[in-house]
Amino acid sequence: MRPRFNFMWFWAVVAIVIISYSMFGSSEERPIEGDWNMVDELVEGGYVERIEVMDREKASIYIHAEAIDSLAQDERFKRMPKTGVQVVFNTGGDVQYFAERIAAAEAKAAELAAESGTDVEAVVVKYNRTEQGWVDYLFEFLPWILIIVVWIFIMRSMTRSAGGGGGGIMNVGKARAQMSDRNSKERITFKDVAGLEEAKVEIMEIVDFLKHADKYKALGAKIPKGALLAGPPGTGKTLLAKAVAGEANVPFLSISGSDFVEMFVGVGASRVRDLFEQAKKVAPCIVFIDEIDAIGRARGKNSGFSGNDERENTLNQLLTEMDGFQTNAGVIVLAATNRVDILDKALMRAGRFDRQIEVGLPDVKERKAIFDVHLRKLKLDSKLDREFLAKQTPGFAGADIANVCNEAALIAARHGKDCVTEADFLAAIDRIVGGLERRNMPMTDKERHATAIHEIGHATVMWRLKHCDPVLKITIIPRGRSLGATWYLPEERVNYNIDHFVHKMAGLVAGRVAEQQLLGITSTGALNDLERTSKMAYSMVAYYGMSPKVGNVSFFDAQGQRDMFTKPFSERTAELIDEEVRRLVDEAVAMAREIVEAERENIERLAGVLIQKETIFSEDIEEVLGKSAQQIEKEMLEATTAVDATDEGKADGGVTYVIEPSADTTNE
Ligand code: ATP
């Protein structure tokens, strides 16, 4: 590899040249250093031809050429150069004294000469000042130059490492907003955003405000300043904003919340100012701030201790820019976040983000539309049922669906197929939810049996309780960190009551219960189930006010601002909460136990099938357990809503368990 040129080498060479010049530069013979005695002696002896005094201090003495050899007899003058300056001498800066002393010495020389009857020439004395050459200047300023170069070098690398990108130290306070190019080939339009119909309408209305502001102003309406896109990760907030950029015929500046954050104090605020200045120059325009929670977090009361002053300054600047004294007419701010609960209230008030647009998880219809968008680019099996795929992916966000499509194509390619089939999609979904298959994991038969009992325990209890989610399939192929899994289709509902919670909890603890009842073992495999059950019970009691003993109070902290050490309830309430959580979990365990006891044989039978097949589906379960409680419930509902509704709707099949509201199940 060719070594890369590094500027440090250049500076090293310069330094070496300068140092060696100063050390060995004048390799010719040097003049000898003299003192007053020597000077007096030379002048009085009539040896001196001239003296040049440089800058009042440095005197260079030139000896008569014919006297040099005779002087060299003397040991002190032996090393004296034959040409140029022979002796140098420091006058001490007092030129007058110097002149007087030389004059005195000359007088003495004249006297001596008169005595011996010879002549003596007068000494020529010249006073000069040094003209500084470039080398001298270089020597004088070199340390400063070096310091400045090193300083710039450090600052540049600091800016770069702080994610500064281009621009250097002088541009640290500038906002690096990107102006989107409407003519780009990869332009995203609303066609690329599936579903989200309401959000699209709202957001297009905002674009319309900008484009036809006069229409609204004529009626006295004020143009909104901003809209906040809020929703879980991967639901398409950024995509929606990009589509606005593609569709709107106004400039679109986008920046991420974290771009305001820098290690230097005051940079965040300055970048906010700069962003709005840029925006005002091109107004009417849209500014999009992604992940606004990076700067918009609620300001704390005791910010002095939290050390987040810089973030707060940035937020304050944003608040001022959005609705301060300086109006930003013609600039609409769109922002996206998935933590709307932690945003500062001042940011959310009308006049800043007037509108909040919810971008939620897609429902089954929207998921199908998202599949349609992402399947466009794939080579698909003609029999592929998109509705089926949408049904198999409840709770998936748009980003997850995009991931499923890509993963399915990768799986198909790995198996050498020429198109992507349904099986590839199912494998992709399994992989995304459960992790990588680990078929080679060493497991004994006993362990496999215990896993099967555990999973069938879950499935059976869920099959029998009407508020549990419908079981889809069970597998004992280890994936990721789990040894087996029961797959179910989560119901798409937003409101839950106590029965829903207790049934779900019973379904969760059923694995542990089945192991205990049928095998007499208590294993670590239930960790995740127990964790989820306990959290569910805690949220029922402490958040949703679902415990009669604790009452209709909620200790939920939506803002996440409560510190870890103070509890908003007394010790007595804490004990009550513990007690109630325990009661609810015990109730769920008792419910699961009852079902497991009743279905002992069926569970054993199903476990046998599962061990043999490794994966079984709802049809296999139905063969053994009959119709599921959810199916019975559905049929009953259909029957009662039918015009000729009779009581016949109560189909045969399994038993449906309900909780009696007053039931205070004791722990066995
Ligand atoms: P985050 O809050 O984590 O930033 P986000 O809501 O901004 O997430 P996006 O970045 O917009 O999510 O979405 C990620 C990817 O998911 C998109 O690039 C797109 O491929 C896909 N996607 C999400 N929602 C949709 C949708 N409604 N239609 C089509 N594709 C979607």
Side-chain angles (χ1 to χ4, degrees):
M1 206 172 65
R2 217 160 61 102
R4 281 215 288 152
F5 178 73
N6 185 337
F7 248 92
M8 289 317 280
W9 285 111
F10 173 75
W11 290 113
V13 170
V14 169
I16 290 168
V17 167
I18 291 170
I19 292 166
S20 37
Y21 178 80
S22 62
M23 282 176 71
F24 316 109
S26 45
S27 58
E28 57 187 85
E29 291 171 296
R30 290 167 185 233
I32 53 175
E33 296 262 353
D35 54 12
W36 268 122
N37 288 340
M38 189 185 278
V39 176
D40 283 344
E41 188 184 330
L42 288 172
V43 177
E44 283 168 14
Y47 300 110
V48 178
E49 182 190 344
R50 66 193 156 99
I51 303 177
E52 283 178 10
V53 182
M54 201 52 103
D55 299 330
R56 306 165 69 97
E57 278 200 357
K58 204 176 137 198
S60 306
I61 300 173
Y62 295 81
I63 307 286
H64 284 295
E66 55 282 10
I68 288 176
D69 286 337
S70 62
L71 261 181
Q73 308 295 320
D74 188 329
E75 188 59 30
R76 287 174 301 158
F77 300 110
K78 222 166 111 188
R79 285 189 304 104
M80 193 168 64
K82 298 269 182 293
T83 52
V85 182
Q86 277 77 29
V87 180
V88 287
F89 158 67
N90 195 323
T91 64
D94 190 343
V95 183
Q96 192 163 356
Y97 175 73
F98 172 79
E100 281 167 10
R101 189 145 175 182
I102 295 290
E106 267 191 289
K108 193 139 186 214
E111 215 174 282
L112 287 172
E115 272 174 26
S116 59
T118 51
D119 268 351
V120 64
E121 281 179 39
V123 178
V124 182
V125 182
K126 270 197 197 163
Y127 297 93
N128 293 335
R129 278 187 168 279
T130 22
E131 293 269 317
Q132 281 192 324
W134 68 270
V135 179
D136 301 294
Y137 279 117
L138 189 68
F139 267 107
E140 210 162 295
F141 292 113
L142 192 71
W144 292 108
I145 294 171
L146 278 177
I147 289 170
I148 292 168
V149 167
V150 169
W151 184 71
I152 291 176
F153 181 75
I154 292 172
M155 284 318 226
R156 275 187 145 206
S157 51
M158 264 161 67
T159 326
R160 225 175 289 140
S161 66
I169 189 74
M170 295 327 223
N171 288 334
V172 85
K174 297 253 188 296
R176 284 178 293 268
Q178 283 184 349
M179 185 81 111
S180 70
D181 178 9
R182 260 168 289 140
N183 302 321
S184 145
K185 269 195 197 146
E186 278 154 29
R187 186 170 85 112
I188 289 174
T189 64
F190 280 135
K191 258 199 279 153
D192 300 302
V193 187
L196 305 178
E197 293 307 329
E198 296 92 355
K200 275 191 215 166
V201 171
E202 285 240 12
I203 214 158
M204 263 334 270
E205 204 178 66
I206 287 172
V207 178
D208 198 54
F209 287 145
L210 273 187
K211 289 210 280 198
H212 308 112
D214 296 339
K215 187 172 86 184
Y216 297 93
K217 280 186 189 156
L219 294 175
K222 262 202 237 148
I223 303 297
K225 296 236 174 66
L228 187 67
L229 298 165
T235 42
K237 299 177 291 293
T238 313
L239 191 72
L240 204 57
K242 280 188 193 160
V244 173
E247 299 266 348
N249 264 331
V250 290
F252 189 93
L253 291 142
S254 72
I255 192 164
S256 163
S258 59
D259 283 345
F260 293 107
V261 187
E262 193 70 88
M263 60 194 291
F264 309 113
V265 177
V267 167
S270 137
R271 283 189 182 163
V272 172
R273 249 190 317 272
D274 186 60
L275 172 69
F276 279 86
E277 255 159 45
Q278 282 180 35
K280 277 177 219 164
K281 273 188 209 146
V282 291
C285 71
I286 295 174
V287 169
F288 174 58
I289 306 176
D290 206 357
E291 317 292 357
I292 195 170
D293 39 298
I295 49 166
R297 219 170 254 267
R299 288 162 293 180
K301 282 192 206 90
N302 49 356
S303 59
F305 302 108
S306 63
N308 261 336
D309 270 3
E310 172 57 6
R311 194 174 49 72
E312 295 197 355
N313 287 344
T314 312
L315 173 60
N316 285 336
Q317 188 63 41
L318 184 65
L319 297 178
T320 325
E321 290 290 348
M322 285 192 72
D323 192 21
F325 276 122
Q326 296 172 328
T327 48
N328 50 351
V331 178
I332 286 191
V333 184
L334 290 184
T337 178
N338 34 46
R339 292 298 315 272
V340 77
D341 49 323
I342 58 161
L343 290 187
D344 199 282
K345 289 281 164 284
L347 195 58
M348 312 273 291
R349 75 145 167 82
R352 291 206 175 95
F353 287 110
D354 307 82
R355 296 175 169 219
Q356 193 169 319
I357 302 174
E358 281 297 328
V359 184
L361 286 173
D363 60 20
V364 70
K365 257 209 293 239
E366 287 174 320
R367 286 201 298 276
K368 183 176 169 287
I370 299 174
F371 265 113
D372 286 339
V373 168
H374 291 284
L375 293 179
R376 263 190 237 148
K377 290 175 224 136
L378 303 187
K379 222 171 141 196
L380 297 171
D381 178 11
S382 55
K383 290 198 287 285
L384 187 75
D385 180 359
R386 292 165 188 222
E387 224 151 278
F388 172 75
L389 291 183
K391 279 193 189 144
Q392 297 295 312
T393 46
F396 276 44
D400 301 322
I401 294 176
N403 195 12
V404 165
C405 294
N406 192 46
E407 193 68 40
L410 293 179
I411 293 173
R414 203 176 304 140
H415 292 135
K417 296 186 188 167
D418 49 10
C419 63
V420 192
T421 63
E422 192 175 288
D424 302 320
F425 280 96
L426 291 180
I429 295 169
D430 286 1
R431 181 170 173 188
I432 285 166
V433 179
L436 212 57
E437 252 184 36
R438 292 165 68 197
R439 277 183 183 275
N440 298 330
M441 192 159 131
M443 259 175 99
T444 61
D445 285 348
K446 223 171 157 190
E447 279 170 330
R448 278 166 69 81
H449 185 237
T451 311
I453 293 287
H454 181 104
E455 297 307 332
I456 299 288
H458 280 306
T460 310
V461 172
M462 289 171 84
W463 199 262
R464 289 288 181 236
L465 294 174
K466 66 174 178 181
H467 292 303
C468 283
D469 299 316
V471 177
L472 203 65
K473 66 176 182 185
I474 315 167
T475 168
I476 48 165
I477 302 171
R479 261 180 196 282
R481 284 168 55 208
S482 70
L483 298 178
T486 304
W487 298 70
Y488 52 87
L489 280 182
E491 223 181 339
E492 295 184 9
R493 66 161 61 232
V494 281
N495 200 359
Y496 293 88
N497 60 33
I498 298 180
D499 290 0
H500 292 120
F501 275 116
V502 178
H503 280 196
K504 281 186 200 308
M505 279 160 48
L508 282 171
V509 293
R512 154 68 54 98
V513 168
E515 279 181 44
Q516 286 178 334
Q517 300 287 104
L518 274 74
L519 306 174
I521 54 168
T522 304
S523 74
T524 55
L527 170 67
N528 183 259
D529 302 332
L530 296 186
E531 185 192 343
R532 284 169 63 195
T533 314
S534 312
K535 277 192 181 152
M536 222 177 247
Y538 185 82
S539 62
M540 284 174 77
V541 179
Y543 299 159
Y544 298 118
M546 285 178 171
S547 144
K549 280 197 187 157
V550 176
N552 292 320
V553 284
S554 174
F555 304 110
F556 188 60
D557 176 24
Q559 297 276 311
Q561 282 191 316
R562 191 182 301 148
D563 65 58
M564 293 156 56
F565 308 108
T566 47
K567 288 199 180 110
F569 41 76
S570 68
E571 283 304 315
R572 211 181 86 75
T573 312
E575 274 172 25
L576 259 186
I577 292 175
D578 285 346
E579 231 172 72
E580 284 295 272
V581 166
R582 205 168 286 278
R583 177 185 64 81
L584 284 165
V585 174
D586 288 346
E587 233 174 75
V589 169
M591 188 175 282
R593 201 167 277 165
E594 197 183 329
I595 299 170
V596 169
E597 267 312 313
E599 305 286 353
R600 237 171 203 280
E601 271 131 52
N602 285 338
I603 294 176
E604 286 284 12
R605 231 172 97 198
L606 273 172
V609 182
L610 181 59
I611 291 170
Q612 193 200 343
K613 292 193 182 173
E614 288 196 327
T615 302
I616 58 171
F617 294 87
S618 51
E619 298 81 48
D620 302 304
I621 307 174
E622 198 171 336
E623 256 177 45
V624 178
L625 295 182
K627 278 187 189 161
S628 69
Q630 300 89 33
Q631 182 68 22
I632 297 168
E633 180 76 4
K634 200 172 151 203
E635 284 174 10
M636 263 173 67
L637 263 177
E638 279 166 7
T640 44
T641 46
V643 188
D644 55 344
T646 58
D647 235 2
E648 289 158 23
K650 281 185 185 162
D652 58 350
V655 196
T656 305
Y657 290 78
V658 281
I659 333 167
E660 286 126 48
S662 58
D664 198 24
T665 326
T666 47
N667 194 7
E668 285 168 35

